[in-house]
Amino acid sequence: GTDRSGVGKVLDLGCGYGPLGLALKATGRNRTVHMVDRDALAFGYARQNAELNGLAGVETYGSLGYDDVASQDFDLIVSNIPGKAGESAVSHLLLDAAGHLRQGGLVAVVVVAPLAPKVARILDDDSGIDVTVRDATSSYSVFHYSFLSSAPRSGPGNGLSRGVYRRGRMSFIAGGVDCT
């Protein structure tokens, strides 16, 4: 891939306990790294792991996708996209990065093999995206890409209000109560 030594500001989206963001911080001590996850336990572990490894300049906080990300001028956005994410959530995680990157910024994602064709299709269907790295093993695929313009790709509101994370509706009866 491209030399990322000049990367000053990183977003680790869906950081979990922090392996991606903390590795990027450890290899670039002057970097500012934002690590976000929808799970408070996850970003709590990421914060603790940053402290245990003596990595200052790491901001960890909660965000559902990009909904509460505290900045919009990242040089690099990284994510290990959840394998069980639905199509609209995957599209949101891939495409809404445009509104949070500085001009010329890069997105690098890793996905489990079954998700790779969906990711490839979403990226290939958008003529405003330049995919620079596509690599795969039998288990995982990696994509690096950038946007040809910084125009946001999403509609108004956040991902939650736009229904990005809504899965199919379910109805059932429990104890004689209709739960539709």
Side-chain angles (χ1 to χ4, degrees):
T2 311
D3 175 20
R4 305 317 303 170
S5 59
V7 171
K9 191 170 179 184
V10 176
L11 171 63
D12 181 355
L13 185 70
C15 64
Y17 64 89
L20 296 176
L22 295 177
L24 287 163
K25 179 61 180 180
T27 60
R29 294 282 179 156
N30 292 327
R31 288 185 181 127
T32 298
V33 178
H34 289 234
M35 298 174 60
V36 301
D37 202 291
R38 69 180 186 152
D39 185 325
L41 186 59
F43 69 79
Y45 278 129
R47 179 178 295 134
Q48 183 179 22
N49 285 332
E51 291 169 7
L52 289 171
N53 286 284
L55 300 173
V58 176
E59 297 183 38
T60 58
Y61 52 97
S63 182
L64 179 60
Y66 298 97
D67 287 0
D68 293 307
V69 172
S71 192
Q72 296 184 334
D73 58 345
F74 293 99
D75 299 303
L76 175 65
I77 296 175
V78 297
S79 185
N80 182 347
I81 295 180
K84 294 182 180 181
E87 176 116 16
S88 63
V90 171
S91 184
H92 163 67
L93 296 173
L94 295 172
L95 302 180
D96 286 0
H100 295 278
L101 284 172
R102 67 160 177 77
Q103 186 67 35
L106 180 76
V107 181
V109 298
V110 62
V111 297
V112 291
L115 197 55
K118 184 184 301 184
V119 169
R121 186 180 73 254
I122 291 167
L123 295 176
D124 291 343
D125 285 352
D126 191 318
S127 62
I129 292 177
D130 179 26
V131 179
T132 55
V133 172
R134 225 181 267 254
D135 200 4
T137 69
S138 60
S139 302
Y140 293 93
S141 288
V142 173
F143 298 85
H144 293 190
Y145 61 97
S146 58
F147 296 91
L148 302 178
S149 82
S150 59
R153 299 225 164 356
S154 62
N158 61 32
L160 187 60
S161 68
R162 291 193 329 263
V164 166
Y165 301 102
R166 188 175 301 125
R167 294 193 178 179
R169 295 195 113 196
M170 178 187 248
S171 61
F172 57 95
I173 297 176
V177 176
D178 186 356
C179 300
T180 301

